[in-house]
Structure formats: C-alpha cells, structure tokens
Amino acid sequence: MSNHVGQITGVSGNLLRVRFHEPVVQNEVAYAHLGEVTLKSEVIRIRGDEAELQVFEDTRGLQIGGEVEFTGELLAVELGPGLLTQVFDGLQNPLPRLAEQCGFFLQRGTYLQALERDKEWAFTPAVKVGDTVTAGATLGTVPEGIFKHRIMVPFGWRGKFEVLEVAEAGNYTLDESIARLKSETGREAQVTLVQRWPVKVPIQAYAERLRPTEPLTTKVRIIDTFYPVARGGAYCIPGPFGAGKTVLQQIISRHADVDIVIVAACGERAGEVVETLREFPELEDPRTGRSLMERTLIICNTSSMPVAAREASVYTAVTIAEYYRQMGLHVMLLADSTSRWAQALREVSGRLEEIPGEEAFPAYLESVIAAFYERGGVVRLHDGGIGSVTIGGTVSPAGGNFEEPVTQSTLKVVGAFLGLSRERSDQRRYPAIHPLESWSKYPGVVPEEAARRARTILRQGNEVNQMMKVVGEEGTSIEDFVVYLKAEYLDAVYLQQDAFHEVDAATGAERQSYVFERLGHILDAPLKFPDKDAARAFFQQLTQTTKDWNRVLQDDPEFAKIEQTMTKMVAEVSADE
Amino acid sequence: MNNKVYHRIEEVAGNVITLRADGVRYQELAEVESPQGASLAQVIRLAGDRVSLQVFAGGRGIPTDAKVRFLGHPMETSFSEALLGRVFTGSGQPRDRGPRLTENMIEIGGPSVNPAKRIIPRNMVRTGIPMIDIFNTLVESQKLPIFSVAGEPYNPLLARIALQAEVDVIILGGMGLKHDDYLYFRETLEEQGALARSVLFVHTAADPTVECLMVPDICLAVAEQFALKNERVLVLLTDMTNFADAMKEIAITMEQIPSNRGYPGDLYSQLAARYEKAVDFDSAGSITILAATTMPGDDVTHPVPDNTGYITEGQFYLRNGRIEPFGSLSRLKQQVNGATRDDHRTIMNTMIQLYAGYKETLEKQSMGFRMSAWDSKLLVYGERFEQEMMDLSVNIPLETALDRGWAMLADCFEPAETGIASKLINQFWPKAHAETPDNGRQEERNHLEAVASSD
C-alpha cells in the first residue's frame, strides 16, 4: 500500500473532498480513516489539488482534516476457485463470514478477503515446462463443485510467456505458486490460484465475439415460445412495482439452461435475496441433480446498503461472470434492478453538482448502460471453446412509465424486451409479460411461423375485445366472439403459468413444442356454436381441462387421458362434422 | 469532543444555519441557543471550515449571534423498558408528563442488517380483515404501506391492525400528525389496554419540520433494540409523505439538484434505509412496518408512493373506505398462505379474477349494453363480494372468511365457471348447495355479521 495520504476538506453525504499532494489516479481506491476503522472510497473527480471521492460506507463522524490514504489501485475483485455458492456484498465482502465476525449488523469499515485463504484445492496441471502461453490460457484446473475451474494466466498480462515451472498435481492453497512464467522480455512472474481484475474493465482474453443465436430456455412458456432469450444475449424486464419483475427473475434463475447463475441484487429488498439464499441450497438443479446453490453466486447490495457500493455491485457481478465465461461456461447474470444502479449514478452526479440530464439523471447514463450490457455476449476462446454471458436486467421505471430515461436507454441495447404490465398483474395474469407489446430478436423453441399465427390470434382477440367495449357483446358477430374466446383461452392456458405449482411452474422446451402444437390445432379448428353463451361455456370448460393438463407430468398416464378428453371436446363442436 | 461555543452564524436559510468551526464531525449534534430557547441541530455538510446544520426547532428567530455548542456525538435516544407507555416528540423529548430518559443512549440510523442474518418470514399476522387475511396476507417482518388519499380512514385502520395483531411491542411514529389523530391513537391504545406495550414518537403538524425527519429513525432504532431482545415489534408510521416532504424542504434549502417534482435524487435510498429496517432476525425477534402514505391527488405515480412501492413488500390501497383488491398486494403472502388451508390460494385467485370480471361487466352496463347470462351472474357476485368481503366492518377469522368465499361462489356460479381445479371442487364446493338455496345461508350470514359488528 502506498504512503500517499491526503486530508479531508469537505463532507457532504457520501462525497468527500480531499486535498492530495502526489499524483492520484482517476477511479483509484482510497481509505478514509475514522478512528480505528478505514472507509473504502473511490476517486471520481479530480480538480486542481483536490479529489472528490465517493465513500462506499456511511460517512457519519468524518471530520475536516481527517486522513485519507490513496492506494493507487483501481477497484478490483478477486477471481479464483471458491467464488460459487458465495454471497458477497457489492465490494465482494463475503456476507456470511462478515456475520460471523460482526453479528447482526453490517459494521462499516470491516473488509474481508473474498476467498478463503486456508482452503486447499486439488490442482491438476494442463501445461508442461517449455510450453508457450498467453493471457487467459489454462495452466491447470481445480475441481469447484461440479465444475472444472480453470486456473488461467492473468488476463492483464500482455504478450507470450514461456512456462518455466508448473506445479505437480496436488493440493494447494490460493496464494501458493502453481507456475512460473517468463515473458518475451525475460521477466519472470509467479501465477497463483487467484488473480485480481479491475471491475470496470471488460475481460477480453478471447479470440472473437460471436452472434448470439442459440435459444436459452427458461421454462417460462411466454418467454421461450413468444419472446425468447438467446445465450449470450441481453434482455430487460421493465415493469411497474408489483408486476412481478423479481419473481420472474427468480424463476429464470432456477430454470435457465446455463451453467452458472449470478444474481446481482442491486438496491432491491433484502428479503428477496434472503429467499434465494435460504431456498437455493434446498432446491435440486434438474440438470445435475445437485443443489441449485452449487451453480449460483449472489452479489447483494440491497437498498439500505450504501449507495456507492450499489453502483460497484453490478460491475463486480459482471466481472465474475466474465471470469467463468473464460472457462468455456455459459453464465447468466440477473441484475435486479438496473434502475437502482442508475439512481445511484444520479445521486452521485447530483452531489458532484453536474449539469443534470433528463429527470436529473446524468448525461452519460446512456453510454454507461450500453457499456454494461455490452459486456454480455458469446465468445470463442483461444482454445476454441465457447463461453457466454447472458445479461438480464430488470428496470423499475418511475410511475411505471416506460418513456423514462433508464428504460429507453436499456431498450436500445438489449435483444429482447419483456415488458410487464400493471393491467395484467391486476388481473392476476402471471407472468404479467405483455403479450402484444413485448418483442425479441432471438429465435425461440417453436417454429417462427406457429408463434406468429398465435400472436395474430392474440392481437385479433384483443381487437375484438376493444370493439366489444364499444359495441357490446350483442353487436359482435359470433365468429369474432369465438376469436376473442380463443385468444383468451391461449392466454389462460399457455401465456399464464402458475409459478407456485410444482409442474406448471416449469415447462421444458420439448413439452412446450408439443403442447403448443396441440393448442395450434385447437386454435386453427373452425368451431361452431349455437350462441355466445354456449361458446363461453365451452371455452370455460376447455380452459379448466387444459389447466388440469398443465398440472400433470408429461409421463403421467393422466397426461394422455386429459389430452384425449380435450380432443374429444373440440371434435364435438368442430364445424367440420 | 469540542467544548468551544461559537456565536457567529454566517448564514441562515430556511432551517439551515452555517457557521465557521473546526474539529466538527459529520452528522454530529449541536445545541443552538437563541432567545427562542435551546434547540438541537445536526451537521449536514462540511466544506472547509464552514459547517451547515439543520436546526430542529427551525430557523425562525435565530439571531446571528446565537450560541452554538457542538455535542461531539450523533443523534441518540435512550432505550429501556421504561419507554413503554410513554409519548415523545420527534427529537425524543417527553411529550407526556413523564421524566426525561437519559440512560443507555443508543445511536439512531445505525447500519443495516446483514442479509445473511435474516430469515425467510414465515408467520402470518392475523388481522381479522378478509381483504388482508385471504387476499393479501400480512406477514411478520413485512414492510407495507397503506396508499390512501387524504380523508380515508387510514389511521383507524392502522390502529385496528395494531390492536388485533399478535405482537409484543407497538411503536407509533407520527409525522405531521393532526393533533386530533394523535389523541385518537393514544386514546384507542389506552382504551384497549395496549398503551402499556406501546411507545409513541409523535411529531404533530404544528411542530418544527426538522423533527419530522427524526421520527422514523428514532422509532426504528428503538424497535431494533426490542427486536434484538426477542420481541415481535410492530412499527406504525403515519404519514410517510410528510416525511418525504420534510426531506424535500431541506434538500431544496441546501440547493441540491432536485430530480422529480422537487424531491431529492436520493429519495429512494432514504426511504429504503428506513423501510429496510423491517426484519426477521435469525435467532431473535422481528420488526414489522406498516406505514400510511397519502397520495397527493390520488396519484400513485407521484414520487413518494411510486418509490415506496418499489421498496416495500406490497401495498394496501385504501379507497372509498375499503381495501381495493386491485393494486393491493402482499409480496410475502406466498410464504404463509400455502400452509393455512389447501383452498386458500385458490379462493384468493378465483375470487379476484371473478371480481375483475364483475368490474368489466359494470363498465359494459354503464355503457348500456345488454347483459348476458354470465354478466348477470357476475353482477350478483360482485355486489356480494363488496358487501361481505371488502367492507372494512367485516371482522372474521381467516377460516370463516374462506368458507364464506366458497358459499358465495356456490351461490353465484357453476363449478366449471370458476375455473377451479377439479380436485378442489370435489373437496370444498358446498355439497348441500343445490337443495338449500339461500335461506339457511342468509341466516348464517346475518348471524356472522351480527358477530362481526359486535367486535
């Protein structure tokens, strides 16, 4: 640590003004001294001989003249085995270990090392002496839960390196050297199991970026069938409060077909994190049969935790996501909510007295959001493997109005927009993704043509519904009325899904194609009814039967039985006969 | 510690005074003595040797030579069992005739709880109000606002929930409370014998604005201490919009850049810092927060209710003296309503869906459309739902309310029309229904209502 010490000349909220005497680096980390403790902070503006620092903690008790120690290093995270299953705060402090040390409350100024130092990892070398390697190349692996965790040449090292020495297979702790490398200029360096990386810089140790084309199934029917997400793509879920953003993210975190899920709870409720925290270890990952927690990592900076650390938390999360991507894994990053992160930017910008943009958000909001989502993607690594980071962000627009700056900036950079609607959540139609306003540029699990036909029926049904509000049911022809009922039927039995039912909550891709095809036949069938009441009664009955169908497992004999009943019901009213 | 007395104030703007001093700590307290009397003040900005303080009693009548003495500690309040049954002001001074408490001072606005020390809430709080118990169950450690327009009976509702809920300690934080309302709370608690387990921190509309800012912090700091002693604490805050307005006032005085309708950019974080104190501690007690939030102009997109909605675990809408089923939401209900009775979730969803249908039918009716057979059924159902479930005078336990729900469904619909899964229909659909139309049931209902209104 450097000996460069500055003095506080101003305090306002979490912003410090500090006089410095030697060169300082923009975005370097500094520690403000307060009695026994030191408060972590980051340089965010430099003017003359004064730097402005945002403090990642409560600033109560700081005084003019207080000492601030500059470190010369950017805000960085530790990358190494042992990250998975952990719960970190925005600055990568492990919260459970913090609780052991400090009890119920988050005492400011207590920083722990992210990874446990005394744990031993079984290392297997993957290179031999004399090999040539570059940044990101695998030197060996250690098992971390169900994964082979690659120990890689630090991403920041430039040029080619010759392996001078590599450790034998065996147990090593994090800080033990497992390889010695020589650069082209003859400089020698040690590699350990852990490396550090500055969070605001993307990791780019890969061969090329690819276009996201492969669907990522979430087992949420309306997403996979109608508005799919792609591996390495980006999507956003904007919605007013109470529309079910977080529940939807939680469902996705359970069922998404990826290797690793990173949950960044950014400025949201602590209770929601606790649910993930306490439930995931109990839940089984259907892909591996192991606990869901083994593939999960939580970065949690809830709404009452210091706001500057909230800004850092999404970067901490995406950096760790990129790190696992470098191992050829598929990672999903769920950021809930990016609006809180944007608000953190706004708070700091306000304290810096910058000229405000729209709704007082800083003018650079858009570029910051774009840069964040751009850190997702599919990449081909130097060894030919493919890894991806999929980013899903929720947006909490003020007043539920999507015209606000954060939603609009986000829409420009994502490939799928899953807009939640207050109207649908009021009607308890969950997930409340709006079936007409949402969009996706990615391919889904059913043929595009079929999805388009279904969307047409939904749109027509909606039109009839609007019309009926004006001309009444009696002014609507029975044909139109049946279209409306069909749309309502599709909505009730396919778009809506009961997140709390063990079977209905998750529909795999195969079952989706199967069910969707069956429903397609029903929707296409020309149906004939004596009057509207008969039509309504028929669809009510059919809806109930189909919902029962959704609630049984596909290999249950009941499944085929209900399907037959449905076919029979439809045949009875079919116009063909 | 700094015992110097300063008596040259350079600037007075609103409730904020600025003077030159050194060795002052951020957020430290000071005592300001003026001909108007002494008042506490808190440091809210340090810039070089210029110190800005917000004066609790307000800036009015402060001379430039007022004496300012820094106390060397941040805002504190006393904590002990002796608080129970007492009434204090927003700055912690006695409002009743009791003594000033000075022992065991605790800091207010302390750090937040480590999420790793929280547990998933699992206890339902029974209120006897079907719109809460069935449809949006209140859960211990939940934070929930009551969104309401001025004039709605939100204070009586808060008082009723407080009295019926099984909690150990009730803490009331009044912000900008009308004096009548303050007396109402005190008298109600006293009449029901609950005052002895209550602590009141009351800022009335006539008190200085800055004291209003202190109320939630002081309430929650005290609540936290009780919760750590294994008590189940219910905190009532009324009205949080006044709190936000007080914050706005200070922010504008401090020339901060406003973000939305004049509110400071950190409104969300400030509200969250308070609401997030609601907690169910791993191996200790809990804090449940119910807060009235009045919506100016009945506009839920107004920054205060809007930000609140994003922070809290749901909300109750109070409109026309009833808790609205649309928009009202308890996010934690799923934690508890699976364990009450098998039909709880189904009744909850079905009745609301049908009530939504009733609302649509009403719209059609108002436009003069012919009512179909289905519409007529919905009309009967909707009216009964409003009278027998939504009305706030209904006061019955959850199980009775669920039975009443089935009875209403059976009276109004055929099983298939409700969309309820066949398994539950077989189990719960009132069997005798077809034979005994309404008479017996009507009697039962009258009886129940008689019981309810006598409560």
Side-chain angles (χ1 to χ4, degrees):
Chain A
M1 214 168 260
S2 79
N3 293 320
H4 181 193
V5 174
Q7 283 78 35
I8 299 177
T9 60
V11 187
S12 165
N14 68 341
L15 193 75
L16 296 186
R17 196 168 291 223
V18 178
R19 176 159 300 129
F20 59 86
H21 313 286
E22 287 168 44
V24 294
V25 185
Q26 169 75 328
N27 296 114
E28 79 170 282
V29 172
Y31 290 90
H33 289 259
L34 175 67
E36 297 289 287
V37 298
T38 58
L39 308 179
K40 199 170 190 172
S41 36
E42 183 186 13
V43 175
I44 52 172
R45 190 162 73 185
I46 301 165
R47 276 188 173 174
D49 62 350
E50 285 191 337
E52 277 157 317
L53 277 66
Q54 59 172 348
V55 186
F56 295 119
E57 308 274 0
D58 185 6
T59 52
R60 177 182 297 181
L62 287 175
Q63 54 183 331
I64 303 298
E67 290 194 339
V68 176
E69 193 179 317
F70 292 92
T71 65
E73 284 173 14
L74 301 185
L75 187 65
V77 288
E78 281 193 339
L79 301 172
L83 287 169
L84 291 180
T85 74
Q86 289 265 29
V87 184
F88 295 116
D89 74 0
L91 301 173
Q92 221 194 3
N93 280 303
L95 289 174
R97 271 194 282 141
L98 213 54
E100 280 169 27
Q101 194 167 326
C102 303
F104 286 117
F105 298 97
L106 294 167
Q107 298 301 349
R108 59 181 171 163
T110 314
Y111 306 109
L112 299 177
Q113 277 184 310
L115 299 169
E116 281 183 72
R117 275 349 204 218
D118 41 8
K119 185 165 180 186
E120 290 196 333
W121 298 91
F123 176 75
T124 314
V127 290
K128 48 188 190 307
V129 174
D131 283 359
T132 305
V133 293
T134 55
T138 309
L139 296 171
T141 59
V142 300
E144 179 184 16
I146 46 179
F147 302 103
K148 255 192 184 169
H149 187 113
R150 293 185 192 170
I151 306 303
M152 295 170 276
V153 178
F155 305 124
W157 292 12
R158 298 203 189 121
K160 292 198 172 94
F161 297 87
E162 186 194 338
V163 179
L164 294 181
E165 210 179 299
V166 62
E168 287 170 27
N171 290 342
Y172 299 89
T173 59
L174 282 184
D175 293 321
E176 280 181 82
S177 166
I178 50 98
R180 201 153 55 83
L181 307 182
K182 192 174 86 178
S183 75
E184 286 164 314
T185 56
R187 227 165 48 93
E188 287 181 22
Q190 312 265 4
V191 179
T192 62
L193 294 182
V194 61
Q195 59 171 305
R196 292 178 67 79
W197 184 262
V199 293
K200 290 186 182 166
V201 182
I203 297 173
Q204 285 177 324
Y206 51 78
E208 61 170 334
R209 270 187 74 157
L210 307 171
R211 214 161 67 84
T213 49
E214 201 186 326
L216 188 162
T217 51
T218 62
K219 299 198 181 174
V220 179
R221 292 188 290 254
I222 184 169
I223 298 181
D224 297 346
T225 303
F226 288 92
Y227 305 106
V229 177
R231 271 194 180 160
Y235 67 89
C236 70
I237 309 178
F241 62 79
K245 289 183 296 295
T246 304
V247 175
L248 189 57
Q249 287 283 54
Q250 277 175 349
I251 295 169
I252 294 174
S253 70
R254 280 178 196 192
H255 302 297
D257 183 21
V258 290
D259 299 310
I260 288 172
V261 174
I262 297 180
V263 179
C266 168
E268 288 287 304
R269 307 173 185 87
E272 288 162 358
V273 184
V274 177
E275 272 176 43
T276 312
L277 217 76
R278 304 263 170 180
E279 279 176 2
F280 271 33
E282 316 289 319
L283 294 173
E284 188 185 277
D285 181 356
R287 290 156 25 99
T288 58
R290 305 280 286 268
S291 149
L292 209 47
M293 201 62 198
E294 288 194 17
R295 69 160 196 176
T296 311
L297 188 158
I298 301 171
I299 308 287
C300 141
N301 202 266
T302 58
S303 55
S304 62
M305 286 156 80
V307 62
R310 190 194 298 167
E311 195 233 327
S313 67
V314 296
Y315 292 108
T316 300
V318 76
T319 306
I320 296 174
E322 285 174 336
Y323 175 62
Y324 279 98
R325 176 200 69 195
Q326 290 299 118
M327 300 176 200
L329 296 173
H330 297 287
V331 187
M332 175 145 216
L333 169 62
L334 301 170
D336 185 15
S337 141
T338 57
S339 291
R340 304 300 158 224
W341 165 55
Q343 282 181 340
L345 292 175
R346 176 167 76 181
E347 281 183 35
V348 173
S349 164
R351 293 237 164 72
L352 288 173
E353 298 180 352
E354 290 174 339
I355 294 171
E358 203 179 336
E359 286 185 24
F361 282 106
Y364 45 81
L365 177 74
E366 208 171 295
S367 54
V368 171
I369 289 179
F372 169 68
Y373 279 99
E374 275 301 302
R375 291 180 72 169
V378 195
V379 301
R380 195 164 54 77
L381 302 170
H382 288 300
D383 67 0
I386 303 283
S388 71
V389 174
T390 310
I391 300 183
T394 62
V395 185
S396 322
N401 175 11
F402 293 173
E403 303 298 308
E404 55 92 48
V406 183
T407 316
Q408 289 305 316
S409 311
T410 308
L411 283 181
K412 286 184 190 167
V413 289
V414 296
F417 161 63
L418 309 172
L420 299 188
S421 113
R422 158 84 68 223
E423 193 195 343
R424 284 182 70 81
S425 73
D426 275 353
Q427 294 170 341
R428 305 293 192 269
R429 297 183 177 206
Y430 293 118
I433 298 172
H434 201 289
L436 298 174
E437 284 168 13
S438 303
W439 50 258
S440 165
K441 297 175 187 166
Y442 303 123
V445 300
V446 303
E448 176 53 32
E449 168 60 24
R452 210 164 41 97
R453 262 210 323 274
R455 268 200 292 267
T456 310
I457 290 177
L458 289 172
R459 196 170 39 249
Q460 286 170 344
N462 181 53
E463 279 162 14
V464 175
N465 192 18
Q466 297 302 326
M467 199 172 67
M468 272 200 300
K469 283 189 183 145
V470 185
V471 300
E473 219 174 280
E474 64 265 37
T476 310
S477 70
I478 184 126
E479 289 76 21
D480 281 352
F481 190 67
V482 168
V483 170
Y484 160 73
L485 288 175
K486 278 181 175 173
E488 285 291 292
Y489 169 69
L490 178 63
D491 188 344
V493 305
Y494 201 80
L495 303 187
Q496 296 173 42
Q497 217 169 332
D498 182 356
F500 299 95
H501 190 276
E502 51 184 333
V503 179
D504 196 27
T507 312
E510 249 174 73
R511 179 164 176 165
Q512 283 190 41
S513 343
Y514 183 79
V515 169
F516 195 65
E517 208 206 320
R518 290 295 312 136
L519 294 186
H521 289 313
I522 296 176
L523 295 176
D524 290 343
L527 303 178
K528 212 169 173 61
F529 299 101
D531 56 39
K532 286 174 191 152
D533 283 336
R536 177 181 278 120
F538 168 78
F539 273 103
Q540 276 169 344
Q541 193 72 50
L542 187 66
T543 304
Q544 191 185 21
T545 315
T546 316
K547 277 186 168 173
D548 285 342
W549 195 41
N550 282 338
R551 292 191 189 102
V552 294
L553 289 167
Q554 205 168 357
D555 48 15
D556 192 311
E558 192 70 6
F559 185 83
K561 234 164 75 189
I562 300 180
E563 191 181 333
Q564 277 168 14
T565 317
M566 283 164 52
T567 316
K568 221 174 93 206
M569 283 169 74
V570 175
E572 277 167 9
V573 292
S574 230
D576 300 341
E577 291 173 37
Chain B
M1 194 72 192
N2 183 343
N3 284 322
K4 252 165 93 180
V5 176
Y6 297 87
H7 42 75
R8 200 181 125 52
I9 292 170
E10 293 195 341
E11 204 176 297
V12 182
N15 298 323
V16 179
I17 60 171
T18 306
L19 61 145
R20 287 182 193 275
D22 35 55
V24 177
R25 291 182 178 276
Y26 188 62
Q27 289 192 348
E28 180 177 337
L29 279 193
E31 204 172 57
V32 180
E33 237 175 279
S34 68
Q36 317 286 319
S39 164
L40 289 175
Q42 188 179 28
V43 176
I44 53 174
R45 183 182 283 170
L46 295 173
D49 57 353
R50 284 165 62 84
V51 179
S52 301
L53 300 125
Q54 58 181 11
V55 183
F56 290 3
R60 181 169 302 140
I62 294 216
T64 50
D65 61 349
K67 281 188 203 155
V68 180
R69 196 167 59 84
F70 290 92
L71 302 179
H73 62 77
M75 183 73 187
E76 291 173 333
T77 183
S78 157
F79 172 77
S80 66
E81 300 280 328
L83 287 174
L84 294 171
R86 297 289 309 273
V87 187
F88 303 90
T89 66
S91 52
Q93 306 304 318
R95 187 182 271 281
D96 51 13
R97 288 185 198 84
R100 230 182 121 167
L101 300 175
T102 49
E103 72 204 38
N104 189 22
M105 298 301 278
I106 53 161
E107 223 177 276
I108 72 164
S112 66
V113 175
N114 187 329
K117 294 298 271 184
R118 290 172 180 261
I119 50 176
I120 299 184
R122 59 194 181 289
N123 299 323
M124 169 179 174
V125 178
R126 285 171 177 266
T127 65
I129 301 170
M131 290 315 289
I132 297 178
D133 288 356
I134 296 189
F135 297 99
N136 285 300
T137 319
L138 182 64
V139 180
E140 196 178 321
S141 88
Q142 191 160 21
K143 40 188 178 288
L144 209 78
I146 298 172
F147 288 166
S148 131
V149 206
E152 291 287 345
Y154 52 89
N155 283 332
L157 178 63
L158 281 179
R160 186 170 151 202
I161 296 174
L163 291 170
Q164 287 187 200
E166 293 168 339
V167 292
D168 302 320
V169 178
I170 301 168
I171 296 179
L172 172 77
M175 288 155 279
L177 206 58
K178 275 201 312 201
H179 207 268
D180 304 356
D181 286 338
Y182 152 53
L183 293 178
Y184 167 81
F185 271 113
R186 207 186 59 189
E187 278 159 21
T188 315
L189 288 171
E190 199 153 24
E191 275 165 23
Q192 308 280 333
L195 194 61
R197 55 186 172 99
S198 308
V199 190
L200 280 64
F201 292 94
V202 175
H203 164 266
T204 66
D207 298 338
T209 320
V210 183
E211 284 190 4
C212 178
L213 285 174
M214 297 295 149
V215 172
D217 284 337
I218 209 166
C219 288
L220 292 162
V222 169
E224 217 158 58
Q225 294 299 321
F226 276 117
L228 287 173
K229 292 187 161 211
N230 248 330
E231 310 269 21
R232 286 168 304 165
V233 188
L234 175 66
V235 179
L236 307 176
L237 299 172
T238 170
D239 154 3
M240 286 300 274
T241 307
N242 291 335
F243 169 72
D245 286 342
M247 258 188 325
K248 174 166 81 173
E249 204 178 308
I250 297 293
I252 299 273
T253 312
M254 293 300 290
E255 297 175 356
Q256 283 182 19
I257 295 169
S259 67
N260 209 339
R261 295 206 214 177
Y263 288 94
D266 63 355
L267 179 66
Y268 175 85
S269 302
Q270 293 287 357
L271 289 172
R274 275 81 194 185
Y275 280 114
E276 280 285 322
K277 293 273 178 196
V279 61
D280 204 343
F281 282 116
D282 191 355
S283 68
S286 69
I287 303 176
T288 310
I289 301 180
L290 275 177
T293 299
T294 48
M295 300 183 288
D298 199 10
D299 176 12
V300 71
T301 66
H302 180 277
V304 179
D306 188 48
N307 278 294
T308 303
Y310 280 118
I311 294 163
T312 52
E313 288 151 336
Q315 63 278 331
F316 293 148
Y317 276 91
L318 194 59
R319 190 164 291 149
N320 303 326
R322 295 195 286 238
I323 297 176
E324 271 287 316
F326 304 117
S328 291
L329 170 72
S330 159
R331 290 168 186 272
L332 300 187
K333 63 185 171 192
Q334 307 291 352
Q335 309 289 1
V336 296
N337 66 10
T340 47
R341 221 169 80 173
D342 288 346
D343 55 335
H344 186 159
R345 286 181 181 169
T346 308
I347 283 287
M348 167 181 94
N349 289 326
T350 310
M351 293 197 84
I352 294 297
Q353 270 167 1
L354 290 168
Y355 184 68
Y358 161 70
K359 285 283 187 186
E360 266 176 38
T361 300
L362 273 190
E363 235 169 74
K364 279 196 256 176
Q365 194 184 34
S366 67
M367 294 180 79
F369 296 137
R370 206 178 62 214
M371 296 285 99
S372 66
W374 174 243
D375 288 327
S376 315
K377 284 183 173 186
L378 284 174
L379 284 176
V380 176
Y381 166 78
E383 269 163 38
R384 283 191 56 182
F385 184 78
E386 289 185 347
Q387 277 169 25
E388 296 168 37
M389 284 284 182
M390 283 174 67
D391 203 292
L392 273 185
S393 68
V394 179
N395 191 355
I396 47 176
L398 170 72
E399 287 72 15
T400 320
L402 288 174
D403 291 341
R404 185 181 284 192
W406 282 109
M408 278 164 62
L409 290 177
D411 287 348
C412 302
F413 304 104
E414 294 303 316
E417 289 170 337
T418 60
I420 296 176
S422 315
K423 212 177 102 199
L424 279 172
I425 293 276
N426 292 338
Q427 195 183 343
F428 287 100
W429 194 266
K431 300 270 184 313
H433 175 67
E435 291 79 37
T436 52
D438 233 343
N439 289 341
R441 205 169 303 279
Q442 188 62 46
E443 262 175 45
E444 181 193 344
R445 214 161 40 232
N446 291 341
H447 171 69
L448 282 173
E449 265 156 23
V451 171
S453 51
S454 71
D455 274 355

